[in-house]
Amino acid sequence: MLLQLKNIFKWVNSGGQRIFLLKDINLNVHEGEFISVMGPSGSGKSTLLNVIGMLDAFDEGEYQFLDESVHDLREKNRANLYKEYIGFVFQSYHLLDDLTVKENLEMPLLYKKVKGPERKAMVADMLDRFNIVGKKDLFPAQLSGGQQQLVGIARALISSPKLILADEPTGNLNSKQGEEIMELFKQLNQEGVTIIQVTHSEKNAAYGSRTINLLDGRMV
Amino acid sequence: MFKNQLKIAWRSIKKQPFLNALNTFGLAIGIAGTLIICLFIYDELSYDQMFLDSERIHRINVDAKFGGPGREMSQVSAPMAGAILNDIPQVEEVIRFRPWGTTSLNKIDSRELVLEDNATWVDTNVVSMFGLKMLYGDPLKALEQPNSMILTKSAVEKHFEPSSAIGRELIVNEGQTFTITGVIEDLPQNSFLAEYSVFMSLMGFQDAFQNEWGNHNYNTFIKLKHNADAADIAAPLQGMMERYLIPYAQQFFPGITLKEFEAAGNYVNYSSMKLTDLHLHSHRAEDMGRNGDINNIYILSFIALFLILLASINFMNLSTAYSLKRAKEIGIRKTLGSNKKGIIRQFLMESGLITFGSLIIGLAMAWIALPFFNDLAEKAISIPYSSPVFWLVLFAAAILLALCSGSYPAFFMSKFRPARVLKGSGETSLGGAKLRSGLVIFQFAISVFLIIGTLVVGEQLQFIQNKDLGYSKDQVLLINNLNRLNNQAGSFKEEVKQLSQVADATLSEFVPTPSSRTDSSFFLEGKTDQESAVNMQGWRVDYDYMNTLDLKLVSGRDFDPSIATDSTAMIINESATKVLGLSPEEVLGKRVANGLGEDALSYYTVIGVVKNFHFESMRNVVRPLSLRISNSLGYMAVKLKSGNFEETVSKIQGIWDSRSPGLSFDYRFMDDSFNEVYENERRLGKIFIIFTSLSIFIACLGLFGLAAFNAHKRIKEIGVRKVLGASVGQITYRLSVDFLKLVGIAILIALPIGWFAMNRWLQDFTYRIEIGVGIFLASALLAILIAMLTVSYQSIKAAIVNPVKSLRTE
């Protein structure tokens, strides 16, 4: 098992009232799964993804990731854990505008202190795999949305994570670009990468092996 | 319309409290600092302007060299004034002062001390020539009689009703009786006469009427006629030399001509200096006022300019940086039909409001800080609330400041194109980044420069403090006015020496710290030409002098009371030996005379050579000096053993009081007296530190604001980097390093300028430090450290933000 959420609650206090963002979430994810999280706006999809990605804390419950108890870990160890095993893909790509495609890909490796030659090899490998060798010296603004998201996924993949978390990865793309990205996810999943995506579209959700529906922070 | 704009300006200021608080605070500090400095400078420049016809009054200076090193004097010989009035038609009036130092006035009957203050002898026309305000007495005739004197109002009012003071008789310095013939209004703080409250008529002073050209003892002032030019009198003034001084010199050197005199390397140069220039430009021995220094005025002007510039730059920097936040507002305004002008007006209105607020806060700050500053600078400056000119200048300056600092942001922002800024959440690329970096560099270059200045001044002062002076000033008590004890002084000294806590004591009017000085020419026996004259200090001391002050001998021996011939013995210093052209060993046993041939007054045998000791400021080289045994009453220097000084001093005071009831016991420690010589530097050092700190603080405010803005602008990038695994440390480093680069460039710019400027300042000192690498390193490190502290707060704050917050897609 890759990860297990047990009775996860998350809330905020607003005006003396406790507003639940996540309510009693129980979720087991096995390696190689491709899960789609669906639900209306404000149902807690992104919050759930952030909790799984260890970017956000939760208030109650237990979270096991590869036999580590995330809820018992200190901030720093948690960061090390997600650095090692999780890659993030965002709706608005979040590439760094001042860096070229190549430099954007290189960044996670820099933070993992991968040595120079090895880093170059990995970047070259990734450029090759995504067929963007010709664009390696361009800046994000010079790319189309689809291409930018391609770079975003490549960046998420470069440190060979076990899990990819994608928050509406096709939300800013047209349907053709979206389809290409989803095909890519499917292919990655077949290669063994576990994927959890948040999406609004039934069509995209269908790429997944399993769909979770959220409503007002609760799994339905 | 105006009211509406004002209202909107106020609202938008309120909307960004952090930015506008920084802006207002920075400007207020800049205004307060600049205001104080300007008031100080104004005060310094206003010296002696209040006197009647001050622009026509000049002082006669003389630069003379006659054996030994040259001297720049502010006093000329007694007959000079009369000669000038007689010979130079452009001169309307002349006057002489003969300062007499601290003088006591006692009542005749009760001997009660009325006053102890600075007195000067003066010619009869002092009231009319300087336009002094005579409260009681006849302004023209008050000083006509010998033994008459004019006092200031505050000098008399403690003891008499000023109106009834006229005609009263007082004893001056326990000797002659003088009659008060006039009471004048107190002299203004910013005048060369500020320290004097007793003016005694020269009519009764014999020396003033001798035809003695050899002594230079009179501060002599001339008033030129209307339309006369100071340049016109330069030649006739110098002509006095050949006309009077050479004939006088021929009494001693028969047949000497001006040419021969000059051929020997000697000179006497007369010149005149404007009364109103004296305070800042005259650094001569025996200046009457406590003078300032024009260099300090320049330095302070620069600092004032820096301060206000720094604050103004902050304003521009922060306003343009934060304008990004307002791009949308401007876009909307433009689409609603506002033109460029309207937007500029709106922003100028805001900067005007902020400047106005800063002005009020700055005034309050200056008002609070002024007493402390006055204390430091020994001034009595106040904010001239009642002067309309002051307010006019202040408001004009404020408007100028608002325009200067507000116009760039206003024009910058008015150029935003609505289509681009309204497009949505996308960042508008913000122009002006280069300019902002340039301004930050400029600010820090100034700060680093000021740090270097502060460190150099500090180190030089330290150097002076620690330099081997050739004498020991520590634990030495200086008791003043020994002359009042007259023949009791000797036994007083012996009694003090008996105290167990006293190591030694000596009587002399000459001590290495400021005290009497007397210069005269000495000749080596057998050499009768004027070339071998040595102009040196002739100090009269007693047998305990060398020991008490811990003077070191280079050769020979100290005075010995058991050797009868030592009453005509002399010890000279190394400089004197050098001028005589002999080695310290050769000079022993030689005889010197103060006079030539038959005119020689007396001969002295050199028995020792004392190591040069600093009896003048370190600005000057140690000049030739001689010590000889003679009764000389002025100070008593008492070397104390370690222990309870207070107790010892009170014991000594007990002995003093038992001998001279009613005479005040006036004492101080020698190192305090020593420190006073460098008071000017010390003050400069302190003022430097204060305003350096202020300017650094202002620069930091700006940097702080920019760092906050920068962190805000890069919030998304920080989020992405964190998600991709960057640690807080790495993010903090990334955010800080750009600013540190700017500071680094600033340091590189400031170092050579600082080195150059401070080396020039040091040239004033004959004995000075070398500016070492250490100072530069320290300045650079300090600047970096300060910048780092400033920036890191914002950087760390940004770095620890949870990326979930910054990456939300809305």
Side-chain angles (χ1 to χ4, degrees):
Chain A
M1 186 141 39
L2 183 64
L3 65 91
Q4 184 177 36
L5 299 179
K6 260 194 217 160
N7 307 107
I8 296 287
F9 285 84
K10 182 172 173 61
W11 63 75
V12 287
N13 290 318
S14 167
Q17 261 188 327
R18 181 168 283 185
I19 297 169
F20 285 91
L21 303 178
L22 294 176
K23 233 179 201 169
D24 197 22
I25 303 286
N26 289 288
L27 178 65
N28 293 337
V29 179
H30 296 274
E31 280 196 49
E33 274 197 285
F34 187 169
I35 297 174
S36 301
V37 181
M38 292 196 70
S41 286
S43 59
K45 307 184 296 291
S46 293
T47 309
L48 177 62
L49 212 63
N50 285 335
V51 164
I52 294 173
M54 301 171 214
L55 295 178
D56 220 350
F58 47 91
D59 296 296
E60 217 180 278
E62 287 175 18
Y63 176 14
Q64 300 279 338
F65 188 91
L66 286 175
D67 303 326
E68 294 259 24
S69 299
V70 175
H71 50 272
D72 290 335
L73 284 181
R74 295 156 62 98
E75 165 86 30
K76 206 180 155 193
N77 298 331
R78 225 167 23 222
N80 283 334
L81 200 61
Y82 77 69
K83 241 196 274 189
E84 184 74 32
Y85 297 111
I86 302 178
F88 295 89
V89 175
F90 304 96
Q91 175 179 358
S92 47
Y93 336 126
H94 286 330
L95 300 179
L96 294 188
D97 301 330
D98 301 338
L99 303 185
T100 61
V101 167
K102 196 180 78 183
E103 288 161 344
N104 261 297
L105 290 184
E106 207 174 12
M107 204 167 50
L109 302 178
L110 283 172
Y111 289 129
K112 282 178 85 173
K113 298 204 169 67
V114 177
K115 293 271 179 304
E118 197 184 339
R119 210 164 61 218
K120 283 211 178 69
M122 289 165 82
V123 170
D125 196 35
M126 203 49 75
L127 288 169
D128 216 23
R129 182 167 161 197
F130 283 77
N131 236 338
I132 46 176
V133 179
K135 308 216 159 35
K136 70 174 162 56
D137 292 322
L138 296 183
F139 288 94
Q142 294 166 295
L143 302 175
S144 73
Q147 287 165 337
Q148 286 192 46
Q149 192 58 298
L150 217 56
V151 177
I153 295 168
R155 189 178 64 180
L157 276 175
I158 196 158
S159 49
S160 333
K162 282 189 177 301
L163 174 65
I164 292 259
L165 297 175
D167 194 349
E168 297 197 47
T170 61
N172 283 9
L173 302 177
N174 63 31
S175 58
K176 183 162 174 287
Q177 289 170 332
E179 231 165 85
E180 279 166 16
I181 293 296
M182 289 318 296
E183 283 299 333
L184 178 62
F185 273 133
K186 196 172 165 189
Q187 190 191 334
L188 289 172
N189 181 241
Q190 280 159 7
E191 287 166 17
V193 183
T194 313
I195 295 173
I196 303 177
Q197 67 158 344
V198 164
T199 182
H200 276 303
S201 123
E202 294 281 355
K203 198 171 140 211
N204 287 348
Y207 282 91
S209 54
R210 172 150 77 107
T211 299
I212 295 162
N213 282 298
L214 285 182
L215 186 66
D216 296 334
R218 197 187 285 278
M219 280 173 74
V220 291
Chain B
M1 184 65 184
F2 179 80
K3 205 178 146 198
N4 180 41
Q5 273 184 336
L6 203 65
K7 195 168 72 185
I8 291 171
W10 171 240
R11 276 188 199 159
S12 67
I13 286 171
K14 271 202 302 192
K15 220 162 43 190
Q16 292 195 17
F18 174 69
L19 162 73
N20 288 306
L22 276 189
N23 268 341
T24 312
F25 191 49
L27 266 185
I29 288 181
I31 288 172
T34 309
L35 182 65
I36 288 178
I37 295 178
C38 286
L39 288 173
F40 176 81
I41 292 175
Y42 180 77
D43 184 70
E44 286 280 288
L45 293 178
S46 71
Y47 266 73
D48 301 322
Q49 308 263 13
M50 74 294 290
F51 291 126
L52 181 69
D53 302 325
S54 61
E55 75 286 356
R56 288 198 280 139
I57 300 178
H58 296 251
R59 190 186 67 197
I60 306 301
N61 291 333
V62 58
D63 299 348
K65 178 171 170 359
F66 183 58
R71 289 198 15 158
E72 299 187 336
M73 292 175 279
S74 62
Q75 296 181 323
V76 293
S77 355
M80 186 70 176
I84 289 176
L85 190 62
N86 212 30
D87 297 357
I88 307 180
Q90 289 95 329
V91 175
E92 181 180 293
E93 201 175 355
V94 294
I95 195 167
R96 296 170 298 170
F97 291 88
R98 173 81 194 258
W100 206 237
T102 311
T103 301
S104 64
L105 302 180
N106 293 68
K107 287 187 183 165
I108 292 185
D109 38 5
S110 61
R111 296 268 155 174
E112 185 195 348
L113 184 70
V114 174
L115 177 74
E116 204 167 20
D117 203 359
N118 275 328
T120 175
W121 301 88
V122 67
D123 277 319
T124 52
N125 53 337
V126 63
V127 174
S128 57
M129 179 160 167
F130 288 97
L132 305 183
K133 189 148 187 270
M134 194 82 156
L135 297 173
Y136 305 101
D138 185 336
L140 296 175
K141 294 184 178 159
L143 294 178
E144 263 184 354
Q145 296 301 316
N147 288 23
S148 58
M149 64 179 172
I150 293 175
L151 302 181
T152 59
K153 183 169 163 244
S154 63
V156 293
E157 68 189 355
K158 235 183 260 166
H159 287 266
F160 326 106
E161 188 54 39
S163 55
S164 72
I166 303 293
R168 277 183 196 272
E169 295 190 321
L170 294 172
I171 300 173
V172 172
N173 277 351
E174 307 282 315
Q176 289 183 301
T177 305
F178 275 68
T179 311
I180 303 176
T181 51
V183 176
I184 51 170
E185 190 77 74
D186 284 350
L187 290 147
Q189 271 292 310
N190 50 351
S191 77
F192 77 106
L193 292 175
E195 314 227 312
Y196 296 87
S197 55
V198 181
F199 297 87
M200 303 177 289
S201 171
L202 265 178
M203 295 306 283
F205 196 72
Q206 281 307 310
D207 184 66
F209 302 97
Q210 306 291 317
N211 194 34
E212 170 63 62
W213 286 85
N215 297 331
H216 297 89
N217 287 323
Y218 292 84
N219 296 80
T220 301
F221 293 80
I222 59 171
K223 188 184 271 186
L224 295 178
K225 287 184 176 150
H226 283 288
N227 309 324
D229 191 6
D232 297 339
I233 65 159
L237 205 55
Q238 186 55 27
M240 297 287 161
M241 159 79 184
E242 193 164 10
R243 199 159 181 180
Y244 297 100
L245 213 62
I246 293 293
Y248 169 81
Q250 281 167 348
Q251 297 174 18
F252 306 98
F253 309 105
I256 192 172
T257 62
L258 179 61
K259 268 209 179 105
E260 285 168 3
F261 179 79
E262 283 169 349
N266 295 320
Y267 57 80
V268 174
N269 295 328
Y270 291 111
S271 59
S272 68
M273 190 177 220
K274 273 181 81 171
L275 170 65
T276 47
D277 284 349
L278 288 188
H279 179 66
L280 292 173
H281 296 271
S282 175
H283 306 288
R284 288 165 177 264
E286 315 298 347
D287 269 324
M288 287 178 78
R290 214 179 36 192
N291 285 355
D293 187 341
I294 189 71
N295 284 324
N296 290 357
I297 298 297
Y298 292 143
I299 292 173
L300 284 172
S301 308
F302 269 115
I303 294 181
L305 193 68
F306 285 165
L307 274 181
I308 203 71
L309 212 59
L310 286 176
S312 176
I313 286 174
N314 265 357
F315 190 96
M316 290 189 232
N317 253 357
L318 292 174
S319 301
T320 49
Y322 279 79
S323 65
L324 192 64
K325 282 191 170 175
R326 302 184 60 179
K328 205 169 158 191
E329 173 199 333
I330 295 160
I332 294 170
R333 274 175 190 280
K334 279 196 167 178
T335 51
L336 291 179
S338 171
N339 56 9
K340 240 175 162 182
K341 239 198 219 154
I343 288 169
I344 291 174
R345 207 180 307 133
Q346 179 67 43
F347 281 104
L348 282 181
M349 182 79 75
E350 280 175 36
S351 71
L353 262 184
I354 288 176
T355 312
F356 185 72
S358 309
L359 189 69
I360 291 171
I361 298 173
L363 263 176
M365 284 176 170
W367 179 72
I368 293 169
L370 256 181
F372 300 101
F373 181 80
N374 276 334
D375 214 32
L376 179 70
E378 290 180 32
K379 287 267 176 195
I381 301 168
S382 59
I383 299 175
Y385 295 107
S386 53
S387 155
V389 180
F390 167 74
W391 291 109
L392 213 67
V393 171
L394 195 67
F395 280 106
I399 289 170
L400 194 71
L401 185 64
L403 282 177
C404 280
S405 38
S407 57
Y408 175 69
F411 286 106
F412 175 80
M413 283 186 267
S414 68
K415 276 194 300 200
F416 284 164
R417 269 171 295 175
R420 288 227 337 240
V421 294
L422 286 180
K423 218 165 69 182
S425 63
E427 269 138 297
T428 329
S429 70
L430 182 65
K434 272 214 186 92
L435 182 79
R436 265 198 303 284
S437 302
L439 291 177
V440 169
I441 291 173
F442 181 68
Q443 284 187 315
F444 265 82
I446 289 175
S447 301
V448 172
F449 173 75
L450 290 176
I451 294 175
I452 295 173
T454 309
L455 290 180
V456 170
V457 172
E459 197 165 309
Q460 173 69 16
L461 287 176
Q462 197 71 29
F463 171 78
I464 289 170
Q465 201 75 276
N466 296 338
K467 184 166 183 337
D468 179 15
L469 297 166
Y471 69 94
S472 161
K473 62 179 163 50
D474 301 324
Q475 301 184 20
V476 175
L477 190 70
L478 276 182
I479 302 167
N480 202 353
N481 302 331
L482 262 289
N483 43 333
R484 308 256 176 87
L485 289 182
N486 288 323
N487 47 13
Q488 289 214 49
S491 59
F492 172 64
K493 174 186 146 185
E494 288 313 316
E495 204 173 328
V496 168
K497 272 175 79 172
Q498 299 303 316
L499 293 174
S500 60
Q501 299 95 327
V502 171
D504 212 338
T506 184
L507 287 168
S508 175
E509 56 191 299
F510 306 94
V511 288
T513 50
S515 62
S516 299
R517 295 288 181 260
T518 172
D519 235 358
S520 46
S521 294
F522 287 82
F523 300 87
L524 206 57
E525 190 182 21
K527 301 222 175 173
T528 49
D529 57 309
Q530 48 142 335
E531 278 168 64
S532 48
V534 51
N535 194 309
M536 65 182 173
Q537 293 281 316
W539 290 12
R540 298 181 294 277
V541 301
D542 67 10
Y543 289 99
D544 297 317
Y545 195 78
M546 299 272 293
N547 189 37
T548 305
L549 295 177
D550 206 10
L551 300 178
K552 303 281 186 306
L553 281 167
V554 177
S555 69
R557 60 176 177 86
D558 190 4
F559 299 112
D560 186 343
S562 64
I563 301 174
T565 54
D566 270 8
S567 59
T568 57
M570 180 179 267
I571 293 177
I572 60 176
N573 71 355
E574 291 171 295
S575 295
T577 319
K578 219 169 170 184
V579 173
L580 289 173
L582 297 169
S583 80
E585 282 71 33
E586 285 168 352
V587 81
L588 297 179
K590 294 275 193 298
R591 298 214 302 163
V592 293
N594 57 349
L596 264 185
E598 286 165 18
D599 286 323
L601 302 171
S602 40
Y603 283 93
Y604 300 97
T605 311
V606 177
I607 59 160
V609 175
V610 64
K611 190 169 172 276
N612 275 348
F613 59 94
H614 290 275
F615 60 91
E616 288 181 312
S617 160
M618 300 256 178
R619 291 175 184 277
N620 309 321
V621 293
V622 177
R623 294 189 292 138
L625 173 139
S626 65
L627 306 173
R628 61 181 196 265
I629 298 295
S630 178
N631 200 22
S632 161
L633 296 180
Y635 294 98
M636 184 160 98
V638 185
K639 178 81 172 177
L640 305 179
K641 293 175 184 163
S642 303
N644 187 345
F645 294 150
E646 248 172 73
E647 191 191 308
T648 314
V649 170
S650 73
K651 270 189 190 157
I652 296 174
Q653 178 161 15
I655 301 173
W656 171 277
D657 287 342
S658 71
R659 277 163 198 280
S660 57
L663 267 188
S664 67
F665 179 66
D666 183 13
Y667 74 94
R668 57 195 318 197
F669 279 93
M670 202 166 190
D671 37 8
D672 294 336
S673 177
F674 170 82
N675 287 340
E676 249 173 39
V677 178
Y678 304 101
E679 193 50 40
N680 205 4
E681 281 79 12
R682 200 176 307 280
R683 271 209 300 264
L684 183 66
K686 281 186 198 157
I687 290 173
F688 240 135
I689 289 179
I690 292 177
F691 289 106
T692 302
S693 317
L694 270 190
S695 66
I696 292 172
F697 183 72
I698 293 176
C700 283
L701 276 187
L703 198 61
F704 188 73
L706 271 188
F709 167 75
N710 189 50
H712 180 80
K713 201 181 72 176
R714 293 172 71 173
I715 202 155
K716 193 192 96 173
E717 176 198 334
I718 297 165
V720 176
R721 284 182 185 276
K722 278 192 86 173
V723 167
L724 294 175
S727 67
V728 172
Q730 283 164 324
I731 299 277
T732 308
Y733 171 78
R734 273 207 88 77
L735 287 175
S736 308
V737 75
D738 289 346
F739 286 111
L740 291 184
K741 268 187 212 151
L742 299 184
V743 174
I745 296 172
I747 289 170
L748 288 182
I749 293 171
L751 289 190
I753 299 174
W755 182 83
F756 179 76
M758 290 323 287
N759 250 335
R760 290 254 338 240
W761 181 77
L762 284 173
Q763 295 308 313
D764 258 10
F765 292 86
T766 309
Y767 303 93
R768 56 178 182 254
I769 54 163
E770 284 293 316
I771 303 181
V773 186
I775 283 184
F776 292 137
L777 227 57
S779 319
L781 278 179
L782 194 60
I784 290 173
L785 196 74
I786 291 170
M788 220 146 75
L789 282 176
T790 310
V791 172
S792 61
Y793 170 75
Q794 294 292 353
S795 303
I796 292 173
K797 203 173 106 184
I800 54 178
V801 167
N802 189 337
V804 170
K805 285 200 183 118
S806 45
L807 292 182
R808 248 195 303 249
T809 319
E810 262 98 325

